[in-house]
Amino acid sequence: DKTSYNLPFFLQTQTFVSAKLLYDFLTAHLKKLMSDEKCSAEKVTEMEDVITQMDNYTQQELADLFVKYNVKSPSTGNDLTPPTSFNLMFQTSIGPGGNMPGYLRPETAQGMFLNFKRLLEFNQGKLPFGAAQIGNSFRNEISPRSGLIRVREFTMAEIEHFVDPNEKVHPKFSNVADLEITLFSSKAQTSGQSAQIMRLGDAVEQGVINNSVLGYFIGRIYLYLIKVGLSKDKVRFRQHMDNEMAHYACDCWDAESKTSYGWIETVGCADRSCYDLSCHSRATKVPLVAEKPLKEPISFYLNVVQFEPNKGAIGMAYKKDAKLALEYLAVCDECYISDQEKLLSEKGEFSFETEGKTFTLTKDMVSVRRFQKSLHVQEIVPNVIEPSFGIGRIMYSIFEHSFHIRQGDEQRTYFSFPATVAPYKCSILPLSHNQEFVPFVHQLSEAMTRNGVSHKVDDSSGSIGRRYARSDEIGVAFGITVDFDTVNKTPHTATLRDRDSMRQIRAEVAELPEIVRDLANGTLMWAEVERKYPIFEGQETSRKE
Amino acid sequence: DKTSYNLPFFLQTQTFVSAKLLYDFLTAHLKKLMSDEKCSAEKVTEMEDVITQMDNYTQQELADLFVKYNVKSPSTGNDLTPPTSFNLMFQTSIGPGGNMPGYLRPETAQGMFLNFKRLLEFNQGKLPFGAAQIGNSFRNEISPRSGLIRVREFTMAEIEHFVDPNEKVHPKFSNVADLEITLFSSKAQTSGQSAQIMRLGDAVEQGVINNSVLGYFIGRIYLYLIKVGLSKDKVRFRQHMDNEMAHYACDCWDAESKTSYGWIETVGCADRSCYDLSCHSRATKVPLVAEKPLKEPISFYLNVVQFEPNKGAIGMAYKKDAKLALEYLAVCDECYISDQEKLLSEKGEFSFETEGKTFTLTKDMVSVRRFQKSLHVQEIVPNVIEPSFGIGRIMYSIFEHSFHIRQGDEQRTYFSFPATVAPYKCSILPLSHNQEFVPFVHQLSEAMTRNGVSHKVDDSSGSIGRRYARSDEIGVAFGITVDFDTVNKTPHTATLRDRDSMRQIRAEVAELPEIVRDLANGTLMWAEVERKYPIFEGQETSRKE
């Protein structure tokens, strides 16, 4: 978990995000022009072309388009400055001198890639394995807006699941294969079709989803979103189209949630192939690979490409620094070696910098050797499946999807948060200020604390109906009322009320905290509670006033 | 939860922290000089004086002391530059223009003060109530060091407990009054006495601890630290001395933990009186107060000081902006009004800025009115008790206090993490690679997942003793071994092993997950498990090879 990153390949992702806002802005402008009746069919086709190719324009071409289509500031009508590059990472300086730049991380993921070797070791060198992280990320958004949807500081949770690229099959896929999920494939988007509900197993089988590991995580993301309170009919998975997918990803699906702001991305789920590990590996010259024991004890042949340094010549030229050059040459990857080999043959030399020193090596100092090596284990660069959760956006969606109005009473609103995520699981309400209720309220409250059930005692004045309405308004899942029967009858019982159905049962005070605990943990359903305990009828209304 | 703060009163805290490092450095130098045999008694007294007064020197006086006592760089022997002020907050700029400065928060607390009005409303306007927050804070430490102890990005957890200053009594104090805690009072420190174990109730009664609310939190902090794995004999509470305590705090105690770096502060617990709310209130011109209904329905008299604006004159002078000036005048506090009143009588006018506009008001536009008002509720600025936890330092202390070596075997180290905090609660170990064990391992693993018990299956090769050693090394609290008796006998049983005592019992496979769950939750003790299930003797050694 690092405060700062100076790795250049972050910028790419960030530039992408920034450019996307620009594309959206220009697209909206063009669509407005196209909707004008006076716009000729020819012009419409031209603008449609521009929209399709949006991703492929250079900065200058984009600037020209802004002039050509007369794009003005929406608020003032003034001319716009041409688009400029802008780093979405927040910069700061570290240490008292002020000359060591640092950047706030724009995502949590990279820390897990940097720790890959340790994580692999922790899993006893075996694939597959996963790591997960939750934390804050920071992006210097140009125009934060839409509540929790576009903010400059936000909580992300990311999973990096590392797999053998030759074994992209998830053993538990069958657990989710029967889920029926709304999928909006890239093909459907391109051909103007709408999203369609598919069985997840069929989607993987038919190649709509690239592989069953990706499919497994799509299934688990879906189950998670539904469990925390999103509506089934307001969740879909949209596949990235070729032009919006990062060049290294082999497939990418966004879980989207339908809100008053339209469909918004809440979770990204990408198969990032071996991109991140390869990049870190190249930047740090540390191989980030897993070793795969071969099932058959036969050796297998690997094509090896390596630098063959002339130690004497390098030593002569660089004296005590020669060791640094030799260390550097020893860890270069094939791709880099081939590039330098070309330079050697074309220009007779190549240069590099390591540990702050620059070296220029000539043909007599280094050559490239290619040979086959017999190995008993195979070295593989794992692929990574990356589900990436925008916690704020998920929370925002829960709020929208859980907000309801009681039928026939527009003043009575409530949040139908599932008990698992409701901040308070239960309200405890004494019927009135009568002192006889106090010991029962205490007993219930203490037992709930012991059982780890978050709850709220509301002994303020106000009718029981009014206090229930207040409890519903903030999404408390259940409510217990202590009344005169609690005090006067043995065994002592109280009512337990379900927020969504407003139905009530009556159970012993001693049992209630554990019933609520099990309801809140999801190990007990309200329907079961109703079967087991006597229904308590029609009291809420009569108690209202 | 805010990314940035621009409030000036943060700087004070931060400068204090920075200065403390400087004091430590100078103190260490002087102590070294004092320890020299050649150092005269007179010189020793002089230097002792300097150390005692350290906090009171100005920046220039400190610079002079560095010269006078010939303080040099410890690594190079070079002269030092004079001390300079340095902002410990990381600065960045917000938005694309780059001209809106922002600071990373140096503590989490202030967000809760800013939200005070909402929190109070959430608690139905009543005191006392508390809020808690956990998150990252950032301080641009000059020299980060000592592992997790001094870092630039760290996780903090803070509680703000708001109380009526006239009722600083905690109703649950009796729950912790009997705790025997090592207290190092400011008096003991000044008079050279050592820390002493005291009953918490006595400490509050004798006034060693200022009040029972502060005492209650000291007790709860102590219980928390012990529960997560700190050693009782390596935890003490040290009271701030008058010269190290912030001027606004009325009492402050640090929970300190003894480590190889000496006693380090892990939790601060301060009674900050009404300082924070008053500051925010003054800066924002929003009263942050609670209303206290008076028990007796008699009215009570309040001295009111307020501006009495001449609306006509202000309207004439400022036209449509007059409304802004009137709004501003309406919310000023007594202290500010008195200051402006002085200006009015001395200079005949005073100026202020609000909403970006500057106003200058003369005697004919505004006067000050003082009168008594009868109220039925009393407005009070709550005091706040603030326990502030350094999560990294607590974790570091857990690591040091939990690290042990098995008697007679220096190679076998283990962490005695309490089950509640152990990252893994249980290992599941099949005796060998025999396929017959697999279904039992699966059954155990799935039941543990269902019960929310984090666990690790270790089916790698290696003797059972070796795998237990590996499991102990990372502090897994319990271990289950599936062996041939598990497979061949009915009912199917397996062994359950306690990491610290290495003792084992035998129980049914179907029961084990729930036993481990209860052990991990702390609702079941190992001693009870030993009483209920048959002990499984001496097998670990025999299985070792």
Side-chain angles (χ1 to χ4, degrees), chain A residues 302-308 329-339 341 367-373:
Chain A
L302 181 74
N303 290 314
V304 180
V305 181
Q306 63 187 34
F307 280 124
E308 193 80 354
L329 294 174
V331 294
C332 293
D333 64 77
E334 179 176 346
C335 178
Y336 177 81
I337 296 174
S338 300
D339 285 353
E341 189 180 28
S367 58
V368 171
R369 189 175 155 224
R370 289 166 194 280
F371 60 99
Q372 282 206 321
K373 198 171 164 185

Side-chain angles (χ1 to χ4, degrees), chain B residues 348-465:
Chain B
E349 62 176 44
F350 70 90
S351 300
F352 58 88
E353 206 189 292
T354 179
E355 307 275 335
K357 310 219 181 274
T358 307
F359 297 88
T360 303
L361 300 189
T362 53
K363 277 183 177 178
D364 61 320
M365 296 180 189
V366 67
S367 57
V368 172
R369 187 175 155 223
R370 289 165 195 278
F371 60 100
Q372 281 206 325
K373 198 172 166 184
S374 109
L375 289 175
H376 293 267
V377 289
Q378 183 183 2
E379 280 196 350
I380 45 177
V381 182
N383 277 14
V384 68
I385 311 290
E386 179 186 89
S388 172
F389 299 74
I391 301 298
R393 290 182 170 196
I394 293 171
M395 283 184 64
Y396 179 82
S397 303
I398 295 173
F399 282 118
E400 274 211 15
H401 295 191
S402 300
F403 184 73
H404 302 286
I405 294 170
R406 293 273 183 224
Q407 229 178 350
D409 188 352
E410 288 198 0
Q411 296 298 308
R412 277 188 85 173
T413 61
Y414 69 103
F415 280 112
S416 63
F417 300 140
T420 333
V421 299
Y424 286 113
K425 311 303 179 196
C426 193
S427 296
I428 305 175
L429 315 173
L431 190 63
S432 72
H433 274 125
N434 194 308
Q435 284 302 305
E436 288 183 292
F437 299 144
V438 174
F440 295 98
V441 170
H442 276 185
Q443 182 191 341
L444 284 161
S445 174
E446 276 170 22
M448 288 209 186
T449 300
R450 254 198 326 276
N451 279 286
V453 178
S454 61
H455 60 283
K456 194 168 159 64
V457 174
D458 184 357
D459 55 4
S460 62
S461 49
S463 69
I464 201 77

Side-chain angles (χ1 to χ4, degrees), chain B residues 441-510:
Chain B
V441 170
H442 276 185
Q443 182 191 341
L444 284 161
S445 174
E446 276 170 22
M448 288 209 186
T449 300
R450 254 198 326 276
N451 279 286
V453 178
S454 61
H455 60 283
K456 194 168 159 64
V457 174
D458 184 357
D459 55 4
S460 62
S461 49
S463 69
I464 201 77
R466 197 188 167 123
R467 277 181 284 152
Y468 267 135
R470 205 148 64 190
S471 173
D472 294 347
E473 199 176 14
I474 60 167
V476 182
F478 304 99
I480 292 175
T481 300
V482 173
D483 57 22
F484 288 106
D485 278 0
T486 312
V487 176
N488 299 328
K489 292 190 184 166
T490 44
H492 303 292
T493 62
T495 61
L496 175 67
R497 171 182 177 274
D498 173 53
R499 173 200 59 212
D500 293 350
S501 65
M502 295 194 291
R503 289 167 65 92
Q504 300 184 58
I505 60 99
R506 191 118 197 148
E508 284 186 37
V509 169

Side-chain angles (χ1 to χ4, degrees), chain A residues 3 91-92 94-95 140 152-153, chain B residues 3 91-92 94-95 140 153:
Chain A
T3 312
Q91 186 173 353
T92 187
I94 298 171
N140 199 357
R152 288 184 171 137
E153 175 184 2
Chain B
T3 312
Q91 185 172 355
T92 187
I94 298 171
N140 199 357
E153 175 184 2

Side-chain angles (χ1 to χ4, degrees), chain A residues 261-481:
Chain A
Y261 293 105
W263 286 98
I264 59 164
E265 176 194 348
T266 53
V267 188
C269 188
D271 182 337
R272 295 172 64 93
S273 71
C274 63
Y275 179 74
D276 305 88
L277 287 178
S278 302
C279 279
H280 281 286
S281 208
R282 214 170 298 139
T284 58
K285 303 285 171 216
V286 175
L288 296 175
V289 295
E291 293 192 340
K292 187 182 173 183
L294 294 169
K295 276 175 192 161
E296 303 294 315
I298 53 159
S299 52
F300 114 117
Y301 291 93
L302 181 74
N303 290 314
V304 180
V305 181
Q306 63 187 34
F307 280 124
E308 193 80 354
N310 179 338
K311 290 182 187 174
I314 294 176
M316 199 90 87
Y318 289 102
K319 307 285 182 301
K320 68 174 170 41
D321 290 338
K323 200 169 155 246
L324 287 178
L326 295 175
E327 281 170 3
Y328 179 86
L329 294 174
V331 294
C332 293
D333 64 77
E334 179 176 346
C335 178
Y336 177 81
I337 296 174
S338 300
D339 285 353
Q340 308 317 308
E341 189 180 28
K342 215 174 141 201
L343 284 176
L344 269 185
S345 78
E346 285 172 6
K347 304 192 176 172
E349 62 175 45
F350 70 90
S351 300
F352 58 88
E353 205 189 292
T354 179
E355 308 273 336
K357 306 215 183 278
T358 307
F359 296 88
T360 302
L361 301 189
T362 54
K363 276 183 176 175
D364 61 319
M365 293 181 190
V366 67
S367 58
V368 171
R369 189 175 155 224
R370 289 166 194 280
F371 60 99
Q372 282 206 321
K373 198 171 164 185
S374 109
L375 289 177
H376 293 267
V377 288
Q378 185 184 358
E379 279 194 349
I380 46 176
V381 182
N383 278 14
V384 70
I385 312 290
E386 180 187 271
S388 172
F389 300 73
I391 302 298
R393 290 182 171 199
I394 294 171
M395 283 182 63
Y396 179 81
S397 304
I398 296 173
F399 282 117
E400 274 212 13
H401 294 193
S402 301
F403 184 74
H404 302 286
I405 294 171
R406 294 274 182 222
Q407 232 177 347
D409 188 352
E410 289 198 359
Q411 296 297 309
R412 277 187 84 173
T413 61
Y414 69 103
F415 281 113
S416 63
F417 301 140
T420 333
V421 299
Y424 285 111
K425 312 305 178 194
C426 195
S427 297
I428 305 175
L429 315 174
L431 189 62
S432 70
H433 275 125
N434 192 308
Q435 284 303 305
E436 288 183 291
F437 299 144
V438 174
F440 295 97
V441 169
H442 276 185
Q443 182 191 341
L444 284 162
S445 174
E446 275 171 21
M448 289 210 185
T449 300
R450 258 199 322 278
N451 280 287
V453 178
S454 61
H455 60 282
K456 193 166 160 63
V457 174
D458 183 357
D459 54 5
S460 62
S461 48
S463 69
I464 201 77
R466 198 190 166 120
R467 276 181 285 153
Y468 267 135
R470 203 148 66 191
S471 173
D472 294 348
E473 198 175 16
I474 60 167
V476 181
F478 304 100
I480 292 175
T481 300

Side-chain angles (χ1 to χ4, degrees), chain A residues 73-261:
Chain A
S73 159
S75 52
T76 63
N78 291 342
D79 283 345
L80 296 172
T81 53
T84 55
S85 295
F86 163 58
N87 190 347
L88 276 194
M89 290 197 293
F90 285 102
Q91 186 173 353
T92 187
S93 71
I94 298 171
N99 41 21
M100 193 173 138
Y103 297 91
L104 295 182
R105 64 179 184 194
E107 56 176 21
T108 61
Q110 300 302 325
M112 289 181 275
F113 293 118
L114 293 175
N115 283 318
F116 172 76
K117 288 226 118 181
R118 291 208 171 173
L119 293 169
L120 180 66
E121 189 187 344
F122 185 75
N123 202 44
Q124 276 131 14
K126 283 185 291 188
L127 289 180
F129 70 88
Q133 186 171 345
I134 185 166
N136 279 14
S137 295
F138 304 84
R139 293 184 193 172
N140 199 357
E141 293 289 352
I142 296 168
S143 56
R145 57 168 176 265
S146 317
L148 286 172
I149 295 174
R150 192 169 296 285
V151 287
R152 288 184 171 137
E153 175 184 2
F154 51 99
T155 304
M156 288 184 93
E158 291 182 303
I159 300 173
E160 306 298 334
H161 181 80
F162 296 96
V163 289
D164 181 345
N166 307 309
E167 291 177 15
K168 268 192 186 170
V169 174
H170 201 289
K172 291 187 186 169
F173 180 68
S174 61
N175 293 355
V176 296
D178 286 331
L179 288 174
E180 304 270 344
I181 299 183
T182 307
L183 298 180
F184 197 17
S185 71
S186 111
K187 203 174 140 196
Q189 291 165 69
T190 326
S191 61
Q193 293 172 300
S194 56
Q196 74 175 106
I197 297 175
M198 277 190 93
R199 193 182 148 271
L200 202 52
D202 297 340
V204 169
E205 219 162 88
Q206 294 168 24
V208 176
I209 294 170
N210 186 283
N211 58 71
S212 75
V213 184
L214 192 58
Y216 176 73
F217 281 102
I218 287 176
R220 288 294 300 266
I221 290 166
Y222 176 79
L223 289 173
Y224 165 75
L225 292 177
I226 303 307
K227 188 170 184 179
V228 298
L230 267 64
S231 301
K232 281 185 191 184
D233 56 342
K234 291 180 182 169
V235 169
R236 72 176 185 194
F237 282 78
R238 191 181 68 79
Q239 190 171 31
H240 278 206
M241 291 192 284
D242 289 347
N243 64 353
E244 66 177 314
M245 193 151 58
H247 67 276
Y248 48 80
C250 82
D251 195 5
C252 184
W253 291 79
D254 286 345
E256 295 185 327
S257 137
K258 194 177 183 181
T259 69
S260 51
Y261 293 105

Side-chain angles (χ1 to χ4, degrees), chain A residues 104 136 138 153 155, chain B residues 1-6 10 14 87-92 102-112 114-115 133-140 152-158:
Chain A
L104 295 182
N136 279 14
F138 304 84
E153 175 184 2
T155 304
Chain B
D1 198 344
K2 302 267 173 186
T3 312
S4 61
Y5 288 95
N6 294 307
F10 272 101
Q14 297 314 303
N87 189 347
L88 277 192
M89 290 197 290
F90 284 104
Q91 185 172 355
T92 187
Y103 297 91
L104 296 181
R105 63 177 183 196
E107 58 176 20
T108 61
Q110 300 303 325
M112 288 181 276
L114 292 176
N115 283 317
Q133 184 170 347
I134 184 166
N136 280 13
S137 295
F138 303 85
R139 293 184 193 172
N140 199 357
R152 288 184 171 136
E153 175 184 2
F154 52 98
T155 305
M156 288 184 95
E158 291 181 302

